[in-house]
């Protein structure tokens, strides 16, 4: 059985607590046989260079996709770890730091999954929520997507 893990990490950037959080991420990723996706949100990371090296070193087990926080939205950020049993067919940042899309294909069965990682703001307007939902809806309808996962 494949599992999908999700963790709001509440910041992966500061040195003081990054070590323990990175260690916990690695322990979850090492159980790769049972984990299809590991979705980490609120990373506060602004570039791939800020991803802790020990997490980058997990790239032999997982593809590492990112949608980083921006200057105006420092509390955002997504890291999506995808098991290497899957091929990355397509990826797109629909909203920087908040909405990441990935189309993945199982290397054995050729089954396609369309994954949206969405990290919402805690205080936002209905208009902003509608805008993000429309981004997802547009991507689904434009690509005639099925087998959709929203994390």
């Amino acid at each position: 059985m494949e599992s999908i893990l999700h963790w709001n990490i509440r910041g992966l950037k500061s040195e003081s607590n990054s070590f323990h959080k990175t260690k916990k991420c690695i322990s979850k990723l090492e159980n790769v046989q049972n984990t299809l996706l590991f979705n980490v949100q609120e990373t506060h990371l602004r570039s791939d260079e800020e991803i802790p090296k020990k997490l980058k070193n997990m790239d032999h087990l997982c593809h590492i996709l990112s949608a980083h926080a921006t200057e105006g939205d420092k509390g955002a950020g997504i890291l999506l770890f995808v098991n290497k049993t899957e091929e990355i067919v397509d990826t797109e940042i629909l909203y920087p730091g908040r909405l990441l899309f990935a189309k993945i294909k199982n290397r054995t069965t050729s089954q396609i999954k369309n994954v949206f990682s969405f990290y919402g703001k805690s205080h936002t307007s209905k208009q902003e929520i509608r805008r993000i939902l429309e981004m997802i809806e547009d991507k689904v309808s434009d690509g005639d997507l099925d087998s959709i996962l929203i994390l």
Side-chain angles (χ1 to χ4, degrees):
M1 177 96 156
E2 297 173 330
S3 58
I4 298 171
L5 304 176
H6 175 84
W7 186 14
N8 181 327
I9 201 162
R10 292 186 174 86
L12 191 56
K13 195 170 180 177
S14 72
E15 290 295 322
S16 62
N17 59 20
S18 178
F19 173 78
H20 295 291
K21 290 179 179 180
T22 299
K23 191 174 177 181
K24 191 171 180 180
C25 280
I26 289 170
S27 71
K28 291 180 183 297
L29 290 169
E30 285 175 336
N31 191 11
V32 72
Q33 294 162 337
N34 296 325
T35 305
L36 174 65
L37 303 167
F38 182 33
N39 188 48
V40 180
Q41 296 180 333
E42 197 182 345
T43 64
H44 300 181
L45 302 176
R46 304 218 2 240
S47 71
D48 283 347
E49 288 75 35
E50 292 180 342
I51 298 172
K53 185 177 181 181
K54 288 185 178 193
L55 287 180
K56 285 184 184 180
N57 288 343
M58 298 304 288
D59 66 352
H60 66 289
L61 299 174
C62 304
H63 304 283
I64 305 170
L65 308 178
S66 58
H68 295 300
T70 62
E71 181 64 35
D73 191 9
K74 295 177 184 176
I78 298 168
L79 288 177
L80 181 62
F81 296 88
V82 180
N83 191 308
K84 288 258 175 135
T85 59
E86 310 300 307
E87 172 188 339
I88 304 297
V89 176
D90 187 22
T91 183
E92 183 178 354
I93 297 169
L94 300 173
Y95 190 113
R98 297 286 175 178
L99 183 58
L100 173 68
F101 167 76
K103 178 185 288 259
I104 62 176
K105 178 181 176 182
N106 184 279
R107 294 181 189 277
T108 304
T109 67
S110 297
Q111 181 184 17
I112 299 281
K113 290 183 180 77
N114 294 287
V115 181
F116 292 88
S117 175
F118 169 58
Y119 176 57
K121 294 180 183 179
S122 56
H123 303 289
T124 192
S125 67
K126 286 182 182 180
Q127 181 180 9
E128 183 72 7
I129 293 167
R130 279 190 204 102
R131 185 171 146 233
I132 291 168
L133 290 174
E134 286 172 1
M135 288 179 194
I136 294 171
E137 186 178 75
D138 289 348
K139 186 71 179 176
V140 169
S141 62
D142 290 350
D144 194 28
L145 305 180
D146 56 7
S147 298
I148 298 166
L149 301 168
I150 299 177
L151 314 173

